[in-house]
Amino acid sequence: MTFGQWLGLAALVASLLLLWSLREALVLVFAAIVLAMALCTLVGQLRRRLRCPRPLALLLSLGLLLVVVLVVGTAVIPAFVGQFSELLQKIPQAGRALLELLRQAMDSASRMLYGRSDGALDWLQQGLQGANPAGNLAGQVSGGALRILGLAGNVGTGLIQTLFVVAVALMIASQPEAYREALLLLVPSFYRRRFRAVLIQCGNALSAWMVGVLISSTCVGVLAAIGLSLLGVKLVAANALLAGLLNVIPNVGPTLSTLFPMSVALLESPWKALAVLGLYVGIQNLESYVITPSVMHHQLQLLPGLTLIAQLLFTVLFGPLGLLLALPLAVCLQVMVREIVIRDVLDPWKLQRATAS
């Protein structure tokens, strides 16, 4: 290799290390882009329906979002917070009730087999009930203070990051074409037209994904509310809202949303908890095989295995925010791999090799 090639390789390695050190900031920028695409989708719908200029459509979109936030903040959030706090209090009780059912079942099995009980799960029950009732008070107070300070720091950091994402999203949504053209300046001139088409396809895929997720999450929340009401499970509003919100996170979200209503139902009857499990399994199958294919027939379809792998990788790389953004990241990566790696690199290379042979 020549000196220039070694210099180029060193520059490439340095660039990759710089990007790795800035990965948390980059994922925040991508979150802002996803939010901006959602806003641009709403702006585009208003422009097509009202035939108004983009600045007016953007103002109308922001006003509509502000009204929605105010309505949700005044009518939905207070009831949700109250029910969710009660829900969190019921989860340990449900755990103890489930442990007691398991202990009774194992004791019954032990008596049937051996004629006596072997005290199965007693150690686990004692651990859940807490084995340190009279610990060091000073240590508990200092530990609690440190936890409060850590929580306050995390809340402050999260608030700053949220403000950053919202500010950048508004800036991008105000002039999306200008920011796209600025990004194209980083691409060689011979490839800019092609890369512009790839970026447009990524934007269309993200818009289709967001619209589909909004519709499917709304359907899941409504179906959960109807089913829980028919089963007579308490805290319907909190559980239904959690089901709709957690539906945004594939694989992991639906599983988590099932635990909360099952915990509430288990305190009333084990059979009701099983009925809730059957209800949520039915809702998720309906969402996977009927609702999602119907509302996302123009969207890129991701294999479930690839979705799970993307969630694992992006969570390891970017933390909890990576889990939330795993699906939009996977959608964009699929478009880029298909258009750039396969169509622009591998297909011409394969054709050239076949012609040469």
Side-chain angles (χ1 to χ4, degrees):
M1 294 178 64
T2 63
F3 175 76
Q5 291 174 335
W6 280 110
L7 187 62
L9 180 60
L12 177 61
V13 172
S15 301
L16 293 177
L17 291 176
L18 179 62
L19 291 176
W20 175 256
S21 63
L22 297 176
R23 63 187 183 277
E24 295 182 359
L26 292 177
V27 75
L28 290 177
V29 172
F30 182 77
I33 293 174
V34 172
L35 185 59
M37 287 304 306
L39 188 56
C40 288
T41 302
L42 181 58
V43 170
Q45 292 292 333
L46 291 178
R47 290 187 67 186
R48 281 191 292 269
R49 294 181 181 275
L50 302 180
R51 300 184 183 277
C52 58
R54 182 178 182 81
L56 179 58
L58 181 59
L59 290 177
L60 291 176
S61 300
L62 293 177
L64 179 61
L65 291 177
L66 182 60
V67 171
V68 171
V69 169
L70 291 176
V71 171
V72 172
T74 56
V76 178
I77 290 182
F80 171 76
V81 170
Q83 291 193 7
F84 186 68
S85 61
E86 185 178 352
L87 187 63
L88 292 179
Q89 295 175 1
K90 290 181 179 295
I91 290 179
Q93 302 175 12
R96 289 190 292 269
L98 178 61
L99 184 60
E100 181 64 22
L101 290 175
L102 292 176
R103 189 185 64 80
Q104 292 176 2
M106 294 186 69
D107 286 346
S108 300
S110 179
R111 290 190 182 95
M112 291 177 60
L113 294 175
Y114 307 109
R116 61 183 178 84
S117 175
D118 57 355
L121 297 181
D122 286 346
W123 61 272
L124 184 57
Q125 188 175 18
Q126 293 175 0
L128 288 179
Q129 291 175 352
N132 187 24
N136 188 356
L137 181 60
Q140 294 177 1
V141 172
S142 61
L146 290 176
R147 286 193 293 270
I148 292 174
L149 290 176
L151 178 61
N154 292 332
V155 171
T157 303
L159 181 60
I160 293 174
Q161 292 177 348
T162 302
L163 293 177
F164 170 79
V165 169
V166 172
V168 174
L170 291 177
M171 294 176 186
I172 296 176
S174 61
Q175 295 177 317
E177 293 83 4
Y179 286 94
R180 185 179 63 201
E181 295 301 321
L183 179 61
L184 289 174
L185 296 177
L186 301 176
V187 180
S189 58
F190 69 91
Y191 197 71
R192 287 174 184 169
R193 178 177 298 179
R194 171 61 177 160
F195 194 66
R196 182 185 292 109
V198 173
L199 290 179
I200 293 175
Q201 291 189 33
C202 288
N204 294 335
L206 278 177
S207 298
W209 171 78
M210 285 182 286
V211 173
V213 165
L214 178 63
I215 296 175
S216 63
S217 297
T218 303
C219 293
V220 167
V222 172
L223 291 175
I226 295 174
L228 293 176
S229 299
L230 293 177
L231 292 176
V233 179
K234 298 179 181 179
L235 308 178
V236 173
N239 286 313
L241 188 56
L242 281 175
L245 292 176
L246 293 176
N247 186 66
V248 177
I249 307 175
N251 302 320
V252 179
T255 303
L256 291 177
S257 66
T258 308
L259 298 178
F260 295 101
M262 285 188 63
S263 300
V264 177
L266 184 62
L267 296 177
E268 300 180 14
S269 171
W271 299 110
K272 184 174 287 189
L274 293 177
V276 170
L277 177 60
L279 170 68
Y280 272 64
V281 170
I283 290 175
Q284 289 305 319
N285 280 278
L286 184 64
E287 187 269 339
S288 300
Y289 296 107
V290 178
I291 299 175
T292 297
S294 300
V295 301
M296 294 189 181
H297 57 282
H298 294 303
Q299 185 215 353
L300 294 172
Q301 296 296 326
L302 294 174
L303 295 176
L306 294 179
T307 303
L308 188 59
I309 293 173
Q311 287 178 300
L312 176 61
L313 292 179
F314 293 135
T315 303
V316 172
L317 292 176
F318 305 119
L321 189 58
L323 176 62
L324 184 61
L325 297 175
L327 201 54
L329 278 168
V331 168
C332 292
L333 285 178
Q334 181 171 340
V335 173
M336 290 188 175
V337 169
R338 185 194 64 194
E339 298 296 328
I340 298 176
V341 178
I342 296 178
R343 294 187 178 179
D344 294 349
V345 177
L346 297 181
D347 287 349
W349 180 76
K350 180 179 178 181
L351 181 61
Q352 291 173 3
R353 289 292 300 271
T355 304
S357 62

